[in-house]
Amino acid sequence: MHKEIQIKRYLPEEHAEPFWQTFRVPYDETTSVLGALNYIKEELDSTVSFRWSCRMAICGSCGYMVNGIPKLGCKDFVRNYPAALRIEPLAHFTVERDLMVAMDEFLQHLEAVKPYLIAEPSEPHKPHRQTPAQLAKYKQFANCINCGLCYAACPQFGLNPEFVGPGAIALAHRYNLDSRDQGKAKRMPVLNTHDGVWSCTFVGFCSDVCPKGVDPAAAVNQGKVESAKSMLIQMFRGGA
Amino acid sequence: MAYKPNLQRTWWLQHRFFRAYMLREATVLPLVFLLCSLLAGVYSLTSADAFIAWQGFMAKPWVIVIHTLALLASFYHALTFFQLFPRVMPIRLGDKSVPAVVMIAAQWSGTLTVIALFLWLFGGGL
Ligand code: SF4
Ligand code: FES
């Protein structure tokens, strides 16, 4: 079986503009989109550039638009597409070459929300116990692999790149919900702004495309409840 | 060297999911019309002539069509809202979270109870 695969190429040294190139690729039931791209690179055209590493939906580096929908190349299969495949770089990001985008914007937002445990080491060398119920509160949001598919799905991020965005807010929420963490007061100022949770209009497509079932839209909108609470508290305290 | 495609104004036409989202947001339009009609009704109470004119306006077929649309729109909006609610306000009882279907069913039964109550209160007298 063969399938027609169109790739949106961008080779800035040779062409100022991106262009489409078509390949005919053999496939069977088990051929992933990433597998097809690797076939193209190895057998047909070695100049095609794209990122990947784990090929098991863990590293988060193989995000592309397949027929207009953000997908992980290693988790999506050629057999899912009856007609041809059109593969483009992730939407809403700056494209550096072929299917490779600059993730800087996403990474800056991620850094801004301090996605790590902030805790006073009360008794060093002692394990910090957490009950299964405490773990259950944030576990779903901890599954994020930073693939950025949710950013490519979010029209609000497409319209305003300053929007902190679904993935970063999901991780901020994950640490805010963690019983071991004390960093919420440091994260809320970022989430409280217009470019924080309030840019979200609950389009909800981010949660549909997320390959890890994180439901970032739920995190952002739970974040709105938290943000409203934290702003009210500030108001009554007479703070800023 | 790099490029960044701009989001086109027609982005919401590109995908079924975005069209459903825009439909949800557009439910506000007939509802704003309904609200204006009701406000006009309150103002018309100042004189008998104005009130009779307002009653005439409310009976116009095109007004009834928009108001029916507002009713349907509010049901569609409620449907989407009730579905999203369990994700925004998950409820945990002890170790377990309340299943979304239970919360959605509870919201609909609340709505139906209020509708039934209103029909019982005002339905008979009209
Ligand atoms: S929330 Fe999901 S889609 Fe977004 S970066 Fe994390 S894993 Fe990827
Ligand atoms: S190659 Fe690692 S997520 Fe696809």
Side-chain angles (χ1 to χ4, degrees):
Chain A
M1 291 186 289
H2 282 73
K3 184 82 69 175
E4 199 171 278
I5 295 189
Q6 300 168 357
I7 298 181
K8 195 172 189 186
R9 308 282 319 260
Y10 177 57
L11 299 166
E13 302 84 14
E14 291 154 35
H15 305 269
E17 296 296 322
F19 60 96
W20 288 93
Q21 191 176 354
T22 305
F23 300 94
R24 243 174 80 79
V25 178
Y27 78 103
D28 61 27
E29 278 292 289
T30 65
T31 310
S32 65
V33 170
L34 179 63
L37 285 173
N38 273 326
Y39 178 88
I40 292 171
K41 185 156 182 95
E42 279 158 22
E43 308 290 337
L44 305 177
D45 186 343
S46 62
T47 66
V48 178
S49 303
F50 50 94
R51 289 202 192 95
W52 65 283
S53 175
C54 70
R55 46 149 186 73
M56 51 195 286
I58 282 298
C59 73
S61 50
C62 66
Y64 323 113
M65 304 298 281
V66 185
N67 290 6
I69 311 283
K71 295 276 183 188
L72 283 186
C74 65
K75 202 170 181 262
D76 195 20
F77 289 87
V78 174
R79 62 165 192 260
N80 294 342
Y81 299 88
L85 276 76
R86 279 167 77 83
I87 308 181
E88 294 169 73
L90 278 186
H92 310 153
F93 288 105
T94 302
V95 184
E96 291 178 324
R97 187 177 193 85
D98 292 343
L99 300 177
M100 290 166 42
V101 295
M103 295 295 270
D104 306 44
E105 271 163 2
F106 167 47
L107 294 176
Q108 275 163 15
H109 292 319
L110 195 60
E111 217 179 313
V113 299
K114 306 191 194 307
Y116 36 81
L117 277 184
I118 301 175
E120 299 293 324
S122 47
E123 287 175 275
H125 313 304
K126 279 223 167 149
H128 198 131
R129 295 216 171 141
Q130 192 166 55
T131 65
Q134 287 170 328
L135 171 69
K137 275 192 180 162
Y138 69 82
K139 190 159 181 251
Q140 159 196 1
F141 304 121
N143 287 336
C144 173
I145 56 172
N146 304 340
C147 63
L149 296 199
C150 49
Y151 284 76
C154 176
Q156 297 298 355
F157 178 70
L159 294 166
N160 170 25
E162 297 300 315
F163 174 33
V164 177
I169 294 178
L171 278 170
H173 196 56
R174 174 245 174 279
Y175 286 97
N176 284 345
L177 291 176
D178 193 318
S179 60
R180 300 163 296 178
D181 181 84
Q182 289 144 22
K184 193 171 173 186
K186 295 202 174 102
R187 294 187 198 102
M188 287 321 284
V190 182
L191 301 188
N192 287 345
T193 60
H194 176 72
D195 291 334
V197 291
W198 300 105
S199 274
C200 167
T201 52
F202 216 147
V203 179
F205 199 36
C206 55
S207 295
D208 263 40
V209 305
C210 174
K212 304 304 279 186
V214 173
D215 198 354
V220 177
N221 287 280
Q222 289 175 23
K224 284 181 194 164
V225 179
E226 290 305 313
S227 172
K229 276 196 231 161
S230 110
M231 287 197 286
L232 269 181
I233 291 171
Q234 260 184 16
M235 223 169 74
F236 283 120
R237 280 197 186 140
Chain B
M1 277 187 289
Y3 78 98
K4 188 170 180 179
N6 278 329
L7 199 59
Q8 285 163 352
R9 276 163 164 264
T10 52
W11 62 267
W12 54 280
L13 291 171
Q14 311 292 324
H15 194 264
R16 184 181 48 80
F17 196 99
F18 292 145
R19 288 194 292 271
Y21 159 73
M22 277 310 211
L23 184 66
R24 182 189 86 195
E25 299 296 290
T27 54
V28 73
L29 299 174
L31 286 170
V32 165
F33 183 84
L34 173 70
L35 209 69
C36 293
S37 311
L38 293 181
L39 271 179
V42 172
Y43 280 117
S44 75
L45 288 174
T46 48
S47 85
D49 284 352
F51 186 64
I52 289 166
W54 179 74
Q55 279 182 321
F57 169 76
M58 290 299 270
K60 282 192 170 52
W62 66 270
V63 177
I64 292 176
V65 167
I66 299 184
H67 287 164
T68 314
L69 218 63
L71 180 70
L72 296 177
S74 61
F75 274 122
Y76 180 67
H77 196 101
L79 180 87
T80 58
F81 184 90
F82 291 171
Q83 267 168 358
L84 296 179
F85 185 81
R87 287 162 63 192
V88 181
M89 292 266 198
I91 299 177
R92 293 192 152 273
L93 294 176
D95 280 4
K96 294 217 174 68
S97 51
V98 179
V101 274
V102 174
M103 288 170 73
I104 295 171
Q107 293 175 102
W108 275 117
S109 37
T111 311
L112 292 180
T113 312
V114 172
I115 293 177
L117 196 71
F118 267 70
L119 284 180
W120 178 67
L121 276 178
F122 302 110
L126 291 178

